[in-house]
Amino acid sequence: MEKKLKVLIVFLVVSMSFFFAGVSTAYAQEAADIPTMLPDGKTEEFYRTQAESVRQYNQLLDGFRSRSRSTSQAAVYDECFGGAYLADNGELVVLLTGNIDTKRAQVQEYTVNPEIMIKACRYSYDELNRVMSVMNENLGELRDRGINISSMYTDIMNNCVVIKLRGAEGDAEAEIRKLVDTGCIVFQTTDEVIEYQEDDSQPDMKGGYALHNVDRGKNATLGFCATRNGKKGYVTAGHFCPSIGQQVSYNGTVIGTVKQSGYYPNTYADAAFIESNGAANPTNMIMGYQCFSASTYEYPQNTSILMYGIASGLQQGTIYSYNYTYVPYTPGEYTSTDHVLATYTSQNSDSGGPVFFYEGNYGGQSACSLLGVHSAKARIEDSPGNKCSSSFAKYGNIATMLNVTAITE
């Protein structure tokens, strides 16, 4: 725990700033030009509380975990654990199945919080994750049988898995229940579509860092700087840089070449790595925020986060689901699994933008932890009480798929 606390102290934010060698910086925005954003009247105290809750949440996951996660086997948790989410004040709320009183002391021990809030639920965290896993493994077969799934995600606060269908033809629900016969599934019909937000207009930079794919004539946002196989470079959206060998420029100057991309018919990380050619200097800055850590923590529902895109600028939102799958209408197009559904807004050219967690102000410097890169706009306003509008790829998945490490010093 002492080690984890030390990690958290260094667990600060990702800021991404270029000091271009030989490249004009006329469009570059200095850190001092961006005020610290405490959205919706939230205070430094709220963010400190939230950061502590995230730490407690990951200690809780460690405590209830039955065996370690491996590449072939997902983690398994105590049947009493139903997940957790953040209250509006940033404090952690833990869900338990069965008799709450029998596990209260255990939760208090794991979180080191005698005042932890606990609520009852029906379905376990394992059950929700099992449904998502089985469904993801059978998406192709279900499509072949004419079952048109649009998306699905875990909703911890409502203790269910939402599966959204395009139309209600045939016996889609009955067919799905043959695979996963559980009461935790909530079916909804939808005409939702996600929009990947690259475009072919001239970027106005908006004080951010715009990337241009020379081979495709598209623009997007730089997510974070990283190293891969000892080489420095940049990470952005995979759908923006789908092919190895494509050249990418900033402000008219080529700054690197795509060396790896997560753009496949099915992917768990919509991201790509651009190896630097030396025309720009990769750093650990994301606009006005200093990044000292790229997070592989898990984040509970309702966590407040930030995203920076070259079109939208700095945007605030919350995590709605930490396990989101989107299935395109046309077979063979981009299917994403294990992404994050969030409520921040986004526009064209924001693809690839950094998503991060504000850690606080330290000596006048705003600090954050990198969570991932923005993937797409997700229009799913038809969900009850759901105002989700975007999805992003997790840093841990990006690091695994691309074999990259974020630059954090």
Side-chain angles (χ1 to χ4, degrees):
M1 168 161 156
E2 200 172 317
K3 181 179 178 182
K4 186 164 286 188
L5 186 56
K6 289 179 180 177
V7 170
L8 181 66
I9 292 173
V10 184
F11 187 108
L12 300 171
V13 177
V14 165
S15 254
M16 187 183 62
S17 180
F18 286 88
F19 298 96
F20 289 92
V23 179
S24 170
T25 58
Y27 293 98
Q29 185 173 18
E30 297 297 329
D33 295 334
I34 306 176
T36 298
M37 183 179 183
L38 297 178
D40 298 338
K42 290 183 172 65
T43 64
E44 289 283 341
E45 182 179 359
F46 165 84
Y47 284 103
R48 284 194 294 271
T49 299
Q50 178 174 255
E52 171 62 17
S53 294
V54 170
R55 183 187 67 81
Q56 292 178 13
Y57 175 64
N58 281 268
Q59 287 186 172
L60 192 66
L61 291 176
D62 287 343
F64 278 132
R65 186 176 288 121
S66 299
R67 60 177 178 266
S68 299
R69 184 183 299 274
S70 69
T71 55
S72 61
Q73 188 176 57
V76 175
Y77 299 89
D78 192 306
E79 290 183 0
C80 75
F81 181 55
Y85 63 91
L86 296 188
D88 290 341
N89 63 358
E91 293 185 0
L92 189 66
V93 180
V94 180
L95 300 178
L96 295 178
T97 64
N99 187 336
I100 291 176
D101 292 333
T102 62
K103 291 290 183 177
R104 185 181 299 275
Q106 203 168 355
V107 172
Q108 293 171 342
E109 176 189 350
Y110 291 153
T111 60
V112 196
N113 181 1
E115 305 298 326
I116 191 80
M117 290 186 285
I118 300 175
K119 292 186 176 182
C121 68
R122 181 176 180 182
Y123 300 103
S124 71
Y125 188 60
D126 260 4
E127 177 72 355
L128 304 185
N129 287 334
R130 183 184 71 84
V131 171
M132 288 293 296
S133 178
V134 171
M135 290 298 297
N136 281 331
E137 290 170 0
N138 289 275
L139 286 176
E141 178 187 344
L142 290 169
R143 182 191 288 277
D144 292 342
R145 287 155 58 185
I147 299 172
N148 198 340
I149 296 172
S150 173
S151 66
M152 53 192 183
Y153 52 89
T154 55
D155 182 346
I156 301 300
M157 293 176 72
N158 292 303
N159 196 221
C160 67
V161 173
V162 177
I163 297 180
K164 305 175 80 65
L165 302 169
R166 294 186 178 94
E169 303 88 353
D171 299 318
E173 294 185 17
E175 290 298 309
I176 289 173
R177 290 199 185 279
K178 289 179 182 178
L179 283 174
V180 280
D181 186 13
T182 172
C184 73
I185 297 176
V186 174
F187 289 100
Q188 297 176 4
T189 57
T190 184
D191 59 356
E192 69 174 322
V193 176
I194 65 172
E195 299 175 2
Y196 295 111
Q197 292 170 304
E198 56 184 8
D199 70 12
D200 51 12
S201 63
Q202 288 298 314
D204 61 10
M205 301 299 289
K206 293 195 73 171
Y209 298 102
L211 297 181
H212 179 73
N213 188 314
V214 176
D215 298 277
R216 299 182 62 234
K218 300 289 185 179
N219 304 314
T221 303
L222 173 56
F224 62 94
C225 301
T227 59
R228 179 177 183 271
N229 298 330
K231 304 288 187 178
K232 290 185 176 182
Y234 319 99
V235 173
T236 185
H239 65 266
F240 167 62
C241 293
S243 301
I244 294 173
Q246 292 176 333
Q247 292 193 316
V248 178
S249 67
Y250 165 80
N251 198 26
T253 298
V254 173
I255 61 170
T257 303
V258 178
K259 291 295 184 178
Q260 184 65 281
S261 179
Y263 185 83
Y264 300 103
N266 298 286
T267 185
Y268 58 88
D270 178 17
F273 177 76
I274 303 157
E275 187 176 298
S276 173
N277 62 6
N281 178 38
T283 74
N284 73 327
M285 295 294 296
I286 297 176
M287 303 312 296
Y289 295 83
Q290 182 101 28
C291 172
F292 295 105
S293 175
S295 176
T296 56
Y297 263 19
E298 291 190 31
Y299 287 79
Q301 189 170 1
N302 210 34
T303 298
S304 290
I305 57 176
L306 299 173
M307 187 280 297
Y308 195 97
I310 62 169
S312 297
L314 194 61
Q315 296 295 313
Q316 181 269 343
T318 59
I319 288 174
Y320 191 82
S321 177
Y322 209 67
N323 191 347
Y324 171 66
T325 291
Y326 175 76
V327 185
Y329 183 79
T330 304
E333 289 186 355
Y334 191 84
T335 295
S336 59
T337 60
D338 198 24
H339 280 57
V340 182
L341 197 57
T343 64
Y344 63 80
T345 59
S346 54
Q347 303 177 58
N348 283 345
S349 292
D350 288 345
S351 282
V355 180
F356 51 102
F357 178 86
Y358 178 65
E359 294 281 358
N361 190 287
Y362 296 83
Q365 176 65 63
S366 295
C368 70
S369 296
L370 177 68
L371 302 189
V373 298
H374 172 64
S375 177
K377 178 179 180 180
R379 297 182 296 181
I380 56 174
E381 293 86 352
D382 51 342
S383 296
N386 185 0
K387 299 179 181 178
C388 301
S389 54
S390 298
S391 66
F392 69 89
K394 303 172 185 177
Y395 170 74
N397 288 350
I398 294 170
T400 298
M401 176 167 280
L402 302 182
N403 189 28
V404 299
T405 302
I407 294 175
T408 56
E409 59 182 34

